[in-house]
Amino acid sequence: MPELPEVECVRRFLAHELTGARLIGAKFYRSDLREPIPVEQFKSSLKNQIVESFSRRSKYLLWNSCSGSVGIFHLGMSGQMLLFDQAAPRLNHTHAVFTFKNTLEGSPKYLHFVDPRRFGRISVSTSSELERHPYLQQLGPEPLGFRSLGQHLFSKSRTKTQCVKNFLMDQRNVVGVGNIYANEALFWAGVDPRTVAGKLSQERYERLGEAISATLNEALEQGGTSLKDFINPDGKPGYFRLRLAVYARAGKPCLRCDRKIISIRQQSRSSFYCPRCQR
DNA sequence: ATGTTGACCTGTAAGC
DNA sequence: TGCTTACAGGTCAACA
């Protein structure tokens, strides 16, 4: 589910609601997702500490406490962070509940980590060791605000024989782009997703770089993409679904030329493209 | 070394 | 009404 725009929307909401609050309770309902959760280390590092900020690296949400400890969250395919003002009943797949309290006054807030498929991750590190954490150490550059993204992708791709769409989704090349936004960016750049990455010209990578950043920014403004079950922590969906040009639009007319959007499988993921506009 | 496939999970929708 | 199959926003071990 969550690619960069969705995670960033979650980050912004939590930053607005929980910055400066103290974690007064952390309850885990299981000790593993796809991998074990370091439950005891998480609690001893973050419990009773004040939240300094929420940040994001790639699709990871980072919870920075004033003590220098950092909680690391990945939402996988089906993960959600839901914030409640009252002790709400747990949904079926709520694996952790964090209770926060603003230092002086106020009632507690409850943050639920929900993830039916359990492809998500929870870990903990410190601000000084963060970049060496196994989850984060291989990641490529952030796409937003990266002036020469197109140039970077061009030079990284020269020896690559894989398809450009797979190249874009490899988080070592650029982070945050998943299946939805890879498809969308390739459409806006006019690039066929099957093109060999190493054969695309510098000029076309420049265009692709701009398309990636424009697509991600527009999705951010819309609160992300809700295909079926993604919602932001306040319970509201994202509206970028209404602006999707190709993703999940097989058989429907291309927004530019009216030809039917085609669906194929690449690396056992669905790809969608317009056979006339994308070459 | 690089590229591809399938595994990890549950839920939902479509097909029979 | 079942039952079976395919597919879903990500990542990575295991293989070619």
Side-chain angles (χ1 to χ4, degrees):
Chain A
M1 154 218 325
E3 303 180 36
L4 185 151
E6 292 75 32
V7 179
E8 179 62 17
C9 287
V10 171
R11 184 200 73 74
R12 289 180 184 179
F13 183 84
L14 296 183
H16 180 260
E17 295 293 318
L18 295 174
T19 300
R22 187 185 298 276
L23 178 71
I24 60 168
K27 174 100 183 117
F28 289 85
Y29 296 92
R30 58 184 304 142
S31 58
D32 65 295
L33 297 165
R34 255 196 75 178
E35 291 145 13
I37 302 169
V39 171
E40 289 316 313
Q41 197 195 342
F42 188 102
K43 288 183 181 173
S44 61
S45 306
L46 290 166
K47 212 169 161 194
N48 298 318
Q49 302 298 325
I50 289 175
V51 178
E52 181 181 80
S53 62
F54 286 92
S55 54
R56 180 188 56 72
R57 175 76 175 104
S58 182
K59 300 168 189 170
Y60 291 91
L61 177 69
L62 304 174
W63 155 356
N64 308 294
S65 88
C66 291
S67 63
S69 296
V70 182
I72 303 174
F73 295 83
H74 196 293
L75 301 179
M77 292 275 261
S78 57
Q80 296 178 0
M81 290 283 212
L82 298 176
L83 189 66
F84 299 97
D85 288 332
Q86 287 127 25
R90 276 190 301 132
L91 296 174
N92 237 345
H93 298 287
T94 299
H95 307 309
V97 175
F98 306 103
T99 309
F100 293 88
K101 199 159 181 179
N102 284 312
T103 30
L104 291 176
E105 96 306 337
S107 51
K109 289 180 179 173
Y110 303 87
L111 182 63
H112 292 212
F113 179 91
V114 185
D115 184 10
R117 293 178 73 181
R118 303 204 298 276
F119 290 168
R121 293 173 147 175
I122 299 178
S123 190
V124 62
S125 183
T126 62
S127 52
S128 56
E129 290 172 354
L130 187 61
E131 63 188 31
R132 273 166 278 146
H133 190 284
Y135 290 174
L136 304 177
Q137 65 182 355
Q138 294 247 54
L139 296 173
E142 290 287 330
L144 296 185
F146 183 12
R147 305 244 172 248
S148 49
L149 176 57
Q151 175 58 240
H152 164 81
L153 292 172
F154 173 72
S155 43
K156 268 226 131 184
S157 64
R158 290 307 81 198
T159 58
K160 307 287 188 190
T161 60
Q162 64 191 152
C163 298
V164 62
K165 184 192 171 225
N166 299 333
F167 173 76
L168 288 184
M169 291 202 297
D170 186 331
Q171 306 293 299
R172 291 170 298 189
N173 300 321
V174 61
V175 302
V177 179
N179 204 30
I180 295 180
Y181 299 108
N183 276 294
E184 293 296 300
L186 286 163
F187 171 79
W188 292 112
V191 174
D192 186 320
R194 300 167 300 174
T195 313
V196 172
K199 295 206 166 163
L200 205 61
S201 70
Q202 173 159 10
E203 204 171 42
R204 304 195 72 201
Y205 268 109
E206 306 271 3
R207 219 177 137 193
L208 192 48
E210 282 168 31
I212 290 169
S213 111
T215 305
L216 295 175
N217 272 314
E218 204 194 331
L220 255 179
E221 280 174 30
Q222 299 299 317
T225 301
S226 294
L227 282 186
K228 45 185 201 140
D229 53 9
F230 173 74
I231 51 174
N232 283 291
D234 56 357
K236 292 178 185 155
Y239 294 99
F240 193 70
R241 190 192 213 299
L242 305 172
R243 312 249 179 136
L244 293 174
V246 288
Y247 186 87
R249 293 195 65 243
K252 300 200 168 134
C254 171
L255 302 181
R256 271 207 184 116
C257 78
D258 242 37
R259 274 277 287 275
K260 280 189 177 177
I261 300 301
I262 284 179
S263 166
I264 59 171
R265 303 284 294 176
Q266 290 184 287
Q267 284 211 253
S268 57
R269 313 297 300 272
S270 289
S271 291
F272 304 87
Y273 68 100
C274 170
R276 181 177 293 166
C277 296
Q278 294 174 254
R279 300 284 178 175

